[in-house]
Amino acid sequence: MAALDWGMQSRLAQVFRPETGRTVMLAIDHGYFQGPTTGLERVDLSIVPLLPYADALMTTRGMVRSTIPPTSRTPIVLRASGGPSILKELSDERLAVSMEDAARLNAAMVAVQVFIGGEHETQSVRNMTRLVDAGQRYGIPVLAVTAVGRDLTRDARYLRLATRICAELGAHAVKTYYCAEDFDTVTAACPVPVVMAGGKKLPELEALTMAYRAVEAGAAGVDMGRNIFQSEHPAEMIRAVAAVVHESMKPGEAYDLLPRPAAP
């Protein structure tokens, strides 16, 4: 990353803690294609109190302008692609935000979905490369988000393919799913930071274990949403995730940071 311009390096250092090289992103951009997700009906109540515990917030420009306090010190990773809803073919995305507007919102990074193996694969890759070109002009890094279609397997072979293509074509970081076998080969084959996607809601200990195994296998952090804001104790959960990511705390120890139900 040393070859990048100063502004690009500065923004990446906002997202990835310089002392660890890792990040805990809080993902709340689900609404851009699936509407008001459980736990995100009132972002002002459920998410704004969590901002001090997140290294970055992945969200949309509409949510930034309507709900996120401009006094927040948490960097924004801005969702820049969109189009279809869950009712349509999801890979048929277009760029939905200009880099000029991302700069106007002081975004630290922009995110674009890439559908390797999807029906509109080439179009989604083109979305990413256009965003990378614009990002180079404005000094704003691009996070490529690998999307897995219904008929594709989340195994190391596929994830190596998807993450490497994104990196080769200019993405400054790649968000992808975790796989239990050979995830270290995914991070090793990708020359830019790999951030693990949180995915569906899991029991807290399972989510913490997945995060631990991902960073131990070379991930540069996590981008979690449902496993945090759908937890019974979201503030404690995001702090536990941060302990795993930045302190290499064992999952069991991190789980002990969460409140326990009172004894009957």
Side-chain angles (χ1 to χ4, degrees):
M1 293 295 178
L4 298 175
D5 289 341
W6 189 94
M8 190 82 75
Q9 292 188 56
S10 175
R11 288 186 172 91
L12 285 168
Q14 293 174 41
V15 175
F16 296 91
R17 288 192 196 179
E19 59 268 30
T20 64
R22 296 173 179 172
T23 186
V24 175
M25 295 186 198
L26 177 58
I28 65 162
D29 59 327
H30 306 66
Y32 93 96
F33 72 100
Q34 63 183 33
T37 306
T38 301
L40 295 180
E41 297 90 346
R42 289 289 305 272
V43 168
D44 56 330
L45 300 179
S46 63
I47 299 301
V48 170
L50 303 180
L51 293 180
Y53 309 117
D55 294 315
L57 180 72
M58 186 166 173
T59 188
T60 61
R61 63 176 170 182
M63 196 58 69
V64 170
R65 286 193 165 105
S66 66
T67 309
I68 304 303
T71 53
S72 170
R73 306 296 294 174
T74 304
I76 297 296
V77 178
L78 191 68
R79 165 63 63 179
S81 63
S85 73
I86 53 174
L87 306 177
K88 298 290 185 178
E89 169 54 47
L90 291 178
S91 68
D92 191 20
E93 285 196 353
R94 303 291 197 279
L95 288 183
V97 176
S98 70
M99 196 61 75
E100 180 182 5
D101 203 31
R104 190 178 291 115
L105 286 169
N106 198 28
M109 181 177 270
V110 292
V112 56
Q113 211 79 3
V114 181
F115 296 84
I116 301 301
E119 182 178 343
H120 298 279
E121 174 187 80
T122 299
Q123 177 178 293
S124 71
V125 170
R126 176 62 175 146
N127 290 341
M128 185 198 75
T129 57
R130 287 173 59 198
L131 208 58
V132 168
D133 288 342
Q136 292 298 117
R137 292 194 296 272
Y138 283 85
I140 299 178
V142 174
L143 174 70
V145 182
T146 65
V148 179
R150 298 181 183 90
D151 301 324
L152 298 173
T153 304
R154 297 181 187 181
D155 60 13
R157 182 181 180 184
Y158 171 80
L159 298 178
R160 285 195 302 268
L161 173 71
T163 55
R164 184 59 176 261
I165 287 173
C166 292
E168 292 270 358
L169 293 175
H172 303 94
V174 183
K175 171 182 170 180
T176 198
Y177 291 99
Y178 175 74
C179 61
E181 292 187 15
D182 300 324
F183 186 71
D184 60 317
T185 67
V186 178
T187 60
C190 186
V192 300
V194 172
V195 177
M196 185 205 78
K200 66 181 181 179
K201 177 69 174 71
L202 300 171
E204 279 76 3
L205 182 56
E206 288 184 29
L208 292 168
T209 299
M210 181 173 66
Y212 179 82
R213 290 175 177 171
V215 295
E216 286 295 300
V222 302
D223 187 16
M224 281 191 170
R226 287 169 288 181
N227 279 302
I228 291 172
F229 62 73
Q230 290 180 353
S231 170
E232 289 187 18
H233 305 285
E236 291 82 0
M237 183 61 180
I238 192 171
R239 284 183 284 186
V241 172
V244 167
V245 170
H246 293 300
E247 302 171 25
S248 298
M249 185 178 287
K250 296 295 177 60
E253 295 176 40
Y255 182 68
D256 287 339
L257 299 175
L258 274 64
R260 293 291 187 275

